[in-house]
Structures are given as structure tokens and as C-alpha cells.
Amino acid sequence: MIRSTIIAEVRGRRVWDSRARPTVEAEVVLAGGARGRAIAPAGASRGAGEAVELRDGGPRLSGLDVRHAVASIEGPIRQALLGMDAELLEGVDRRLLEIDGTPDLARLGGNATVAVSMAVAHAAAAAAGMPLWQWLATLAGTEPLLPLPEIQIFGGGAHAGRRVDIQDFLVVCPNAGDLAEALDRTAAVYHAAGELLAKLGRLYGVADEGGFWPAFGRNEEGLELLVRAIEAAGFVPGEDVAICLDIAASEWGRKGRYRLACDGRELDSDGLAELLLQWVARYPIVSLEDPFAEDDPAAFARLRAALPRPVQIVGDDLLVTDAARVQAAARRGACTTVLLKPNQRGTLSGTLAAWQAAREAGLGGIASARSGESEDVTICHLAVGWGIPQIKVGAMARGERTAKWNELLRLAERRPHLPFAGDRGLQLRSVSR
Ligand code: 2PG
Ligand code: MG
């Protein structure tokens, strides 16, 4: 008799993301009738080492259509996966890499493979009668955990017409007792920030991830206003609500030159480090993501050594969810924490390998959505199931963002309770184990 978890059908579908761009959905049906479905997200500020997001090119939809990626699913991927066991996710992911044959999934498209990899996991979990997080935890032997949320208040950089250079001004609630409390506090700060911006006549609307799209005259205004918003909402900055920045410096820096258009100045690596150290001294910043460009890893390590107090240093474009890069960054002391984005690697197994490498090196982790998103909530289940202690999925506005926060609230209802990471989720130092 045929096993109920054997892959019996694989389909691709062209659907839409939150930036009105086409993206790829995969649907997998198993022999026993269980189904799984997942949608690939899309980044705007992308690291050079990411898996290739296959776009059609040509005149249609500014070249951004995904008909070729959908065809990858319906053609070679379907053919290769039919008859494989969905329970053996690593084998499925390995097969995807083999049939692609390139180091960066350029032939099939990382958008096609990540959607398929996630859909296979959803189908296997459904066949096992488990929520996805639980199935993933069982497979990986990890301890489930509810992550500490990092939530966007202002959007900038490539997500807001480059009106301000810093890409994400986020908050985290280190001493919140649970996820619901962290979200309650953040919502109050979000509203206070919106009112302040409106009063100052500096509010354009919301950016790609739901944070306010501000008209700041200087980057530092974002920090000043964020502290005012935290206070206006009745919280103690740094204690109840602290600040995280995604500098996303690869977007405006290369070869050690950084052009801060909003401030009208250009800095070298040391100048940018000095500016960031000033901000750390003046504001309750607990986390800096991609403080320098991806071609400037030595500057990450120098900044870490110069910090007057522990601050989490997160690698996104620098590490692109790649286990080997995580190990190298840990060796040179560049980061305390790895950002984990499944579509940067193209498979769930590759994403898990990056997280395992981080843990072995004593680094922390943040599960992250992309700026182009959908109603897909797989990222929440990865974070919870693999025990990734932090998560960032944008702001508390826009449906593709609330889909994730609301899914986490549902997971928080489980009895017995899943432990909440709280401030232990922040990895302020790297610990060699
Ligand atoms: C990032 C992400 C999410 P994008 O840089 O961390 O905020 O943005 O998906 O555009 O890379
Ligand atoms: Mg980033």
C-alpha cells in the first residue's frame, strides 16, 4: 500500500503580494489526501548572496512577473517530487537543490523552491494531524518558544521611497510579561507616533511594512520622535519599550563609503560607526541590524568592540541565512544575531541549517518576514517550532502583517503554555559555547 505521506500532486499558482506584485504559491497534495499551501515573500533590500528570485523580465509588469517560477513548479519540480515522502523534508529540499544545479537556485528560482519547501512541510504536518510548528519541532528536535516581537513604527529606505535612509525604526518590549502585552504596548506607541507625526505635518501614510512613512529632515529625527512617542504612550524608554534599528546600510553604502542622503553627508566606515555610537549613547537602542554594508564585515566587528554597552548586532544582508556565512561571522565577531529569512536560502532545511549554525556559535536569531508579503503565516510557525527567540514581520498595520501577529496570538493560547522568550530573546552579546 502506498504511504499516505507520499507526494501525489504539486501545483504552482501565480498570486499577488502586498506591493501589488505577482508572486508564487505552491500547493502540495499527499497520497492520503493531506494538503499544504504556501506563498513566497519578496524582499526590496536584498543581500547579494540571496537565492535568486526568478522574475520573467521583459515588458510585462516591469519585468516582475513570475510565470517562469510557476512553470518551474509545474514542470521540473513536480516531476522530481512526485513519489517522494513529504515527511523527509531534508530529502525533498536536497532534491530541489540537485535539480536546480546552480549554487543560488537561479534556474528554478528561490521563490519557486521556498514556496514548495514550505508547502511540503504544511502537507506533512497536516498528514500528521499537527500544527506546523509542532511538526517542525518534532522533526528538528528543537524546543518550541514564543518569540519576542520586534515591531516597526517608522518605515524608511527602500520601503518608503528613500525619504529617510534608515530602513526600519522598530520597538521591542523587553520586560513585557507575554506576547499580548508586548503587542498592546506597541500599539499604544504606534498610535502616539502617528499623532506626533500628523501634528508636525510629517506624515505621508504607511510604508511597505505598515510603519508610518515619515517626512523626516534628518535620520536622527526618527529616534527623537520615537522616544517622544514611547513617553507619550506612558512608557519608560529603554525599560518598557526599547528601540531597534535596521540600518540596511548596503542600500546606500559600498566599499566603505556611506551616503546618508537625508542628512546630506557622506561618511566612511569609521564615521558611520561614530554616528551609531552617538545614537547608542543618546537613545535606548538595543539592536542594530546591518549597521554597515555587506561588503564591510570588518566594520561590524570594530563597532561591536567599541560599543559602550551590550547592543545586539544583527546580520541580514551580511549573512543571507547561510550557515557558512553565519560561522564565518561568528569567528570574526561581526554579529551577535542572525536574521533568518527562508526565501534568502530557498529551502526550509537551508534556513534551519543557518539557525543551527547560529546556535552552535552562540549567536541569537530573529525569524523575519520580507517587505513584500502575503497572508502566509509560515514564518510564525518556523519561529515557534524551531525556538527562534525573536520575530520581526513589520508593523501592526496592513493585513499581511496582522496575519502574522494574530497567528502568534493564536499559538500563545495553546495549553500548556509555550514559554515566552521575553528579554532573554535579545542576544546582546555573543556567547561562545
Ligand atoms: C529587512 C527586510 C524586512 P526586505 O531588510 O530586514 O524588513 O526588508 O524584505 O526588503 O529585505
Ligand atoms: Mg534587514
Side-chain angles (χ1 to χ4, degrees):
M1 211 185 76
I2 190 164
R3 266 176 71 82
S4 62
T5 49
I6 293 298
I7 297 174
E9 188 53 282
V10 180
R11 286 189 208 118
R13 185 175 296 125
R14 184 173 163 275
V15 294
W16 293 91
D17 78 7
S18 53
R19 279 194 282 244
R21 289 182 183 150
T23 186
V24 185
E25 177 170 83
E27 188 152 355
V28 169
V29 186
L30 306 187
R35 286 166 177 271
R37 206 173 63 193
I39 302 177
S45 63
R46 293 211 298 271
E50 296 194 14
V52 169
E53 193 179 272
L54 191 62
R55 300 281 181 180
D56 294 353
R60 276 184 54 78
L61 293 166
S62 316
L64 295 173
D65 211 346
V66 291
R67 288 173 196 269
H68 292 137
V70 171
S72 295
I73 298 180
E74 305 242 287
I77 293 179
R78 177 176 181 276
Q79 216 167 18
L81 298 196
L82 289 184
M84 289 190 83
D85 192 337
E87 282 203 306
L88 308 175
L89 182 62
E90 225 184 304
V92 169
D93 287 342
R94 205 174 317 118
R95 190 89 185 93
L96 290 170
L97 297 177
E98 275 166 17
I99 61 168
D100 180 89
T102 70
D104 52 4
L105 292 164
R107 205 169 74 81
L108 298 172
N111 41 353
T113 59
V114 80
V116 169
S117 180
M118 296 193 297
V120 168
H122 277 283
M130 286 183 196
L132 180 61
W133 64 266
Q134 198 171 21
W135 185 82
L136 289 166
T138 310
L139 190 71
T142 42
E143 291 289 324
L145 186 67
L146 272 172
L148 179 72
E150 260 186 26
I151 308 177
Q152 194 192 58
I153 304 294
F154 303 130
H159 304 165
R162 301 181 196 279
R163 188 61 184 72
V164 43
D165 304 295
I166 306 303
Q167 181 181 283
D168 293 281
F169 294 82
L170 310 113
V171 296
V172 69
C173 301
N175 64 4
D178 59 20
L179 179 73
E181 191 182 344
L183 293 175
D184 285 1
R185 283 188 201 171
T186 306
V189 173
Y190 183 75
H191 292 298
E195 279 163 28
L196 274 171
L197 278 181
K199 233 185 262 169
L200 295 168
R202 293 194 177 284
L203 177 58
Y204 275 4
V206 297
D208 283 3
E209 298 194 22
F212 293 113
W213 179 320
F216 297 140
R218 294 170 298 123
N219 286 291
E220 196 171 342
E221 253 185 83
L223 289 161
E224 291 161 6
L225 271 174
L226 198 42
V227 169
R228 281 174 61 191
I230 293 168
E231 285 169 348
F235 300 115
V236 179
E239 273 179 43
D240 304 320
V241 183
I243 297 176
C244 307
L245 297 177
D246 183 358
I247 308 287
S250 300
E251 287 293 304
W252 36 267
R254 2 195 335 260
K255 298 194 169 154
R257 303 299 308 170
Y258 294 92
R259 193 165 152 58
L260 288 145
C262 185
D263 297 343
R265 61 175 165 164
E266 188 171 306
L267 300 170
D268 62 9
S269 303
D270 288 342
L272 180 56
E274 214 170 285
L275 178 67
L276 295 174
L277 288 168
Q278 277 171 20
W279 287 357
V280 165
R282 276 184 214 147
Y283 303 97
I285 294 168
V286 293
S287 181
L288 292 171
E289 180 178 327
D290 283 350
F292 302 96
E294 62 197 53
D295 66 359
D296 200 2
F300 280 69
R302 286 201 303 275
L303 175 70
R304 280 206 54 210
L307 283 164
R309 61 180 170 82
V311 172
Q312 172 170 266
I313 302 294
V314 185
D316 173 10
D317 292 353
L318 180 72
L319 304 180
V320 290
T321 315
D322 178 71
R325 288 185 190 228
V326 169
Q327 282 156 352
R331 272 196 303 274
R332 65 191 316 168
C335 301
T336 66
T337 305
V338 54
L339 201 77
L340 296 157
K341 293 169 163 170
N343 77 326
Q344 282 183 331
R345 204 51 16 241
T347 64
L348 286 188
S349 304
T351 307
L352 177 61
W355 172 224
Q356 281 167 336
R359 278 203 309 192
E360 272 158 31
L363 304 189
I366 306 177
S368 173
R370 301 302 309 245
S371 47
E373 270 292 336
S374 70
E375 66 276 22
D376 190 283
V377 295
T378 309
I379 193 72
C380 304
H381 288 260
L382 301 186
V384 170
W386 290 341
I388 302 171
Q390 299 170 75
I391 190 164
K392 88 168 189 178
V393 302
M396 289 177 70
R398 299 181 55 132
E400 77 280 5
R401 312 290 151 188
T402 54
K404 274 83 165 167
W405 300 127
N406 293 341
E407 180 72 356
L408 287 168
L409 287 171
R410 283 178 212 112
L411 300 185
E413 275 182 1
R414 175 182 184 267
R415 298 290 179 277
H417 277 305
L418 293 164
F420 176 53
D423 62 353
R424 285 166 299 122
L426 283 170
Q427 186 84 28
L428 298 172
R429 301 170 202 271
S430 59
V431 197
S432 282
R433 291 195 183 123

